[in-house]
Amino acid sequence: MGFNTTEPWLFLVVLVILSNYRAGFSAAADILSGGQSLPVDKSILSQGSNFELGFFKLGTSLKIYLGICYRNFDVQDIIWVANRENPLSDPSSLRLEFSEDGNLVLLEGSSKRPFWSTNLTYPLSNSTEAILRDDGNFVLRDSSNRSNIFWESFDHPTDTWLPGAKIGIDKVTGKPRRLISWKSSEDPAPGMFSFGLDPNGSSQYILQWNRSQVYWSTGGWTGKSFSLAPDKWMDYFIFSFVSSENESYLSYTVKNNSSRLIFVLKYSGQIQQLSWLAGPWVWTLSSSRPESLSDVYALCGAFGVYNGNISGSCECPKGFEPFPMEDTSENDWSGGCGRKSPLQCENSTYANGKKDWFLKLSNVRLPVDAKANLAVGVRSCELACMENCSCTAYSYDSNGCLVWEGPLLNLQRLPGGGVVGQDFYLRLAADERPRTTGNLRKVRVILAVLVPATGLILCLSIYFSSKEKLKRKGEEEASSHDLVLFDFNAEAPDAINGGTNTEGNVKKRGKKDVELPLFSYKSVSAATNNFATANKLGEGGFGPVYKGKLHKGQEIAVKMLSKRSGQGLEEFRNETLLIAKLQHRNLVRLLGCCIEGDEKILIYEYLPNRSLDFYLFDPTQKKMLDWGTRMRIVEGIAQGLLYLHLYSRLRIIHRDLKPSNILLDSEMNPKISDFGMARLVGDDERQANTNRIVGTYGYMSPEYAMEGLYSIKSDVFSFGVLLLEIVSGKKNARFYKDESLTLLIYAWELWRDDRSLDLTDPTIICPSSSSTLLRFINIGLLCVQESPGDRPTMLDVVSMISNEHVPLPAPMQTPFTTGRNSMDTDSANNEAENCSMNHVTVSVVEAR
Ligand SMILES: *[C@@H]1O[C@H](CO)[C@@H](O)[C@H](O)[C@H]1NC(C)=O
Ligand SMILES: *[C@@H]1O[C@H](CO)[C@@H](O)[C@H](O)[C@H]1NC(C)=O
Ligand SMILES: *[C@@H]1O[C@H](CO)[C@@H](O)[C@H](O)[C@H]1NC(C)=O
Ligand SMILES: *[C@@H]1O[C@H](CO)[C@@H](O)[C@H](O)[C@H]1NC(C)=O
Ligand SMILES: *[C@@H]1O[C@H](CO)[C@@H](O)[C@H](O)[C@H]1NC(C)=O
Ligand SMILES: *[C@@H]1O[C@H](CO)[C@@H](O)[C@H](O)[C@H]1NC(C)=O
Ligand SMILES: *[C@@H]1O[C@H](CO)[C@@H](O)[C@H](O)[C@H]1NC(C)=O
Ligand SMILES: *[C@@H]1O[C@H](CO)[C@@H](O)[C@H](O)[C@H]1NC(C)=O
Ligand SMILES: *[C@@H]1O[C@H](CO)[C@@H](O)[C@H](O)[C@H]1NC(C)=O
Ligand SMILES: *[C@@H]1O[C@H](CO)[C@@H](O)[C@H](O)[C@H]1NC(C)=O
Ligand SMILES: *[C@@H]1O[C@H](CO)[C@@H](O)[C@H](O)[C@H]1NC(C)=O
Ligand SMILES: *[C@@H]1O[C@H](CO)[C@@H](O)[C@H](O)[C@H]1NC(C)=O
C-alpha cells in the first residue's frame, strides 16, 4: 500500500480506452452535433489528434467514465473526467447526447436522470454542438453562432491543469475553479486535496486538505511570479494572474511551444509539474510541492500512519483497519483507518469489566491538534487520558503531557537515521491487547489463588530460576540477536549504535542514529539451514551468498565475507554502520550483520527477481524487459549511483558495477548491490591508487584496469557499459562479431556511421522511442570516453536522462579502439584470472 511519487511512471494509470475496441469507427470527428449521440465504442478526436474524448475504465474496475485523454501518446493519460462521482456501469446502453434544452447529458438505460450534465439553466439555443479542441478544451457552443460559448471543460477542471485553463474564483457565483485530486490512482472521485486560489482574497494559490486545512502555498503574486513557488515554474511558464470584478484567475502558457508541460494534483496531495519527454515515452516529474510526502496534510487520513521510510506508505496502527473496507483501491487513504473493536469506555455494556489500554508507538512525529494537559508525570498523564473517553492518545515528555481527542491526523512513523521522534500512546480496546500477557496474568492469578502454602515453594523456585534464565538470556542478547526470531519490520531493541552518543548531554531521548542489528553466528546458520548448498544464491567476488528465512516468513540474503580481508573488527563495524546509513530506493538495503571470531556476515534484504544479467542476456528472459522497463532500470541505476557518489559524508565508489550486481525487485525496479563492498573488505581503497584491483573485465575503465587509478569517473565508465548493454541486450565482454570487436567499439562505429539504431536489442519493439534510444546510446558513449575528464559526472548523466532539453555533446572516440591490442590480450575470453601488469595485481572476476 503506498504512494510513490518520485517515480514518474507511476503517474500512468492502468487504463483501458473503451473506444480502442471499436469496430470500424469511421473517420474521427472533433464535433458532436445536435441530434448525434456518442455510444461507448465511439470517441471524439481533436483536430490535431492531440486529445480524445471517450469512455474508459480503470484497472480491473467495472466503472465506466467519460473523459478526455491525450491521444497521440503511447500511454494515454486522463486529463479530465466528466462523471467522476457517478460512474456508469452498463456499456450497452450508455451514451452522451443532447437534451431538448441543448445541454449535454450522460445517460444510461431508459432513465432520464443524467449521470452527468452541463447543467446550464439559463435558456440555451436549442441548436447546440460540442467540440473537442486541440488544446484539450471540450466546448459546448451555439451551432448557429459558433463564437457563442455556453460551457467549457476548462472551467470545470478535475485534477489536471492544462495551458490556457483558468484556476481561480468566479466572483459572480462565488464558485471556486480549482483542481481536486482523485481519490486514488484508480478512482477519479473527488479526493481530499485541492489546489486553488486563496478564498480569503489574497493572491496566493494554496493546497488544502478537506477544502479547509492549508498545507502549502505559492506565496503571493508579485506581478510576474509567486514568491514561494519552485523556480522551475517560472523558467518554463508564463503565468498571468487576472483579478477583475467578476473573476480572479491564473492561467499559464508554456514558454517553449514544442514542449508539453502540465500540472497535476496527485491523489497523494502533491501538485506536480510534469514534462513529456521526447520519445514519445513518459511523463517526467519536473517538480512537486510539497516536496516530501511527509509534508502533505493528513496524507493517510484519520488514524492512518505515514511510514516515513524510503518507500513511503500509509498503514493502519494495530487495532485499526483501512476504512471504508469495501471497494477501495490500495492507495485510497481518504477514509483513513477505523477501529476494529469499539473502545470499552464508549459502551459500558460491551466493556464487561474490561478496560481500554494504550499501545506505545516509538519514534513517531506527533499528530496535529494536541492539547496540553496539566498532569505531571507519565502515569498521571496516562490516567488523565484514560479517564476521559474522548481522549484517544497521549504523549509525555520533558515539555509535559499532551492529549488528543477524536481522530488523529498526520501521525508519522519516522525512518530512524538521526531523526528523533517521540513516544506516543494510542488508546485501544481491550480486545486488541496481545493475548500472551493476558494469559500470563491469568496463570499467575490461578497459581496464587489455587495453590496454597505447599505451592509457595514451587512458585518461588520457578520464579527464581526463570529470573536467572531471563538474566542470562538478557546478557546474551545484549550483544547479539537471534536472527531467526527477528522482525525487521519492528524496532531493534539492542543494536550497534553508530550515533555520537558519547556526548555527555543529559537528553531524555538520546539522538538515535541508524542502528544495525547484530546477530549471533548460530542464528545466522540456523536461518540458512547451516549454510546449505540448496540455499546458496551465488558466489560473489567477496564470498558466497545464501538465502535465509526467518520465523515470520521474511526472506533475507546472507553474504559471507571472505576471511582473508585485513580489516579489524572495530573498523569493520564502523564501516558497516556507515554503509547501513546509505538508504536509497535504488540500493539494496543492509539489514544487519554478524561479527563473530573470524566470521563477518552481512544480512541484506532479499530480492526475488534475481539480477539484471539473468534477464538481459537470456534470449527468452529478455522479453520481460520492454523498453519502458529498461528505461526505468537505467534511470534507477543512475539515481542510485548518483546517491553513492554525492552522499555528503561518505562518497562511495562502487568499483564493480555490472549487471549481476543490479538486483531487481518484484516490480523490476533496479537496486544496486555490493556497494561499499570495497570499503568492507578493507583493501587500501582509501587512496586513489590501489595495488589490488577489484573489478570485472568489460566494465573496468582503462585507467583503472591498466594503472589501478580510479575515481567516481571509473563508475561512470562502468555505467556507460551497462547502459549500452541494456540498450543492445549484448554483453560487452562477450561481444565478438569478429575477434577484436567489443560492444563499445561496435557501438562507436555505428554511431560514427550514423546507424546507431542498429545497436538496439531487436526485442525492443517500439519504433516511437527511437529518439530516446539514440539519446541513451549517446549518453552511454559519453560515459565510456577514454579520458576520465571527458566523461560526465553522474549528476550530468541523471540530468541528461531525465531532461530531453539538455543538449548532448557528441562522444569522442571510445577507449580500447586506440590501445586495443594491448588490452585484447588480457581481456580475451578467459575465465577468472590473475595477472600482473606494471606492479599491479589484477584479480578479475569473469562477468557472470
Ligand atoms: C445541476 O444544477 C442544479 C441546480 O443548479 C443542482 O441542484 C444539481 O446538483 C446540478 N447537477 C449537476 C449534475 O451538477
Ligand atoms: C428549437 O426552437 C425553435 C423555436 O424556439 C423550434 O421551432 C424548434 O422546433 C426547436 N428545435 C428543436 C430541435 O427542438
Ligand atoms: C454571436 O455570439 C457572440 C457572442 O455571444 C455575439 O457577440 C455576436 O453578436 C453573435 N453574432 C450573431 C450574428 O448573433
Ligand atoms: C483565511 O481566513 C481564515 C479565517 O481568518 C483563516 O483561518 C485561514 O487560515 C485563512 N486562509 C489563508 C490561506 O490564509
Ligand atoms: C471535512 O470537512 C467536513 C466539513 O467541513 C467535515 O464534516 C468532515 O468531517 C471533514 N472530514 C474529515 C475526515 O475530517
Ligand atoms: C461583470 O459582469 C457584469 C454583469 O454580467 C458585466 O456587466 C460586466 O461588464 C462584467 N465586468 C467585466 C470586467 O467583465
Ligand atoms: C524547445 O524545445 C525543443 C525540444 O522540445 C528544443 O529543441 C528547443 O531548443 C527548445 N527551445 C527553447 C527556446 O528552449
Ligand atoms: C507559441 O505558439 C503560439 C500559437 O501557436 C504563437 O502565437 C506564439 O508566438 C508561439 N510562441 C513561441 C515562443 O514560439
Ligand atoms: C455495546 O456493545 C454491545 C455488545 O457488543 C452491543 O450489542 C451494543 O450495540 C453496543 N452499544 C453501542 C451504543 O455501541
Ligand atoms: C474530556 O475532554 C473534553 C474535551 O476536552 C472536555 O470538554 C471534558 O471536560 C473532559 N472531561 C473530563 C471529565 O475531564
Ligand atoms: C518501510 O517500513 C515498512 C513497515 O515498517 C516495511 O515493511 C518496509 O520494508 C520499509 N521499507 C523500507 C524501504 O525501509
Ligand atoms: C569507530 O568509530 C568510533 C566512533 O565513531 C571511533 O571512536 C573509532 O575510532 C572508530 N574506530 C576505527 C577503527 O575507525
Side-chain angles (χ1 to χ4, degrees), residues 307 309-313 315 413 488-490 554 583 585 589 605 671:
N307 189 337
N309 65 17
I310 306 139
S311 68
S313 56
E315 57 196 28
R413 191 195 280 237
F488 285 107
N489 297 322
Q554 193 176 17
Q583 297 209 350
R585 75 194 140 88
R589 205 154 72 97
E605 65 176 319
K671 283 176 187 263

Side-chain angles (χ1 to χ4, degrees), residues 146-159:
R146 291 187 160 173
S147 49
N148 194 4
I149 289 170
F150 300 127
W151 180 94
E152 49 191 324
S153 66
F154 269 16
D155 288 345
H156 305 268
T158 52
D159 68 338

Side-chain angles (χ1 to χ4, degrees), residues 99-116:
S99 67
E100 274 165 20
D101 60 6
N103 271 310
L104 261 181
V105 288
L106 191 55
L107 296 171
E108 183 175 283
S110 53
S111 165
K112 282 266 181 286
R113 255 195 84 218
F115 281 70
W116 170 81

Side-chain angles (χ1 to χ4, degrees), residues 473-602:
K473 208 169 155 213
E475 275 166 9
E476 235 165 64
E477 268 182 358
S479 60
S480 60
H481 296 285
D482 189 321
L483 176 60
V484 182
L485 297 177
F486 201 77
D487 182 4
F488 285 107
N489 297 322
E491 258 206 322
D494 312 303
I496 304 182
N497 202 327
T500 42
N501 279 352
T502 40
E503 311 157 30
N505 294 353
V506 197
K507 267 191 216 154
K508 270 201 116 174
R509 285 176 193 85
K511 184 172 150 62
K512 268 192 205 156
D513 227 320
V514 166
E515 292 183 344
L516 191 69
L518 188 62
F519 299 101
S520 67
Y521 182 79
K522 230 170 65 192
S523 70
V524 178
S525 170
T528 55
N529 201 4
N530 290 328
F531 303 103
T533 327
N535 283 14
K536 194 159 164 178
L537 292 171
E539 178 94 37
F542 305 97
V545 186
Y546 296 90
K547 181 174 166 180
K549 203 163 179 179
L550 308 189
H551 186 64
K552 286 201 162 176
Q554 193 176 17
E555 290 176 321
I556 49 166
V558 172
K559 177 167 251 153
M560 308 193 68
L561 299 189
S562 44
K563 291 175 193 167
R564 63 189 148 84
S565 84
Q567 209 174 22
L569 272 192
E570 167 94 359
E571 207 183 342
F572 179 77
R573 221 161 95 151
N574 283 1
E575 289 287 358
T576 322
L577 261 168
L578 283 178
I579 307 293
K581 278 184 196 148
L582 298 174
Q583 297 209 350
H584 187 272
R585 75 194 140 88
N586 295 115
L587 301 180
V588 173
R589 205 154 72 97
L590 182 61
L591 299 173
C593 70
C594 162
I595 314 173
E596 227 173 274
D598 276 353
E599 301 291 349
K600 291 173 194 160
I601 299 175
L602 300 174

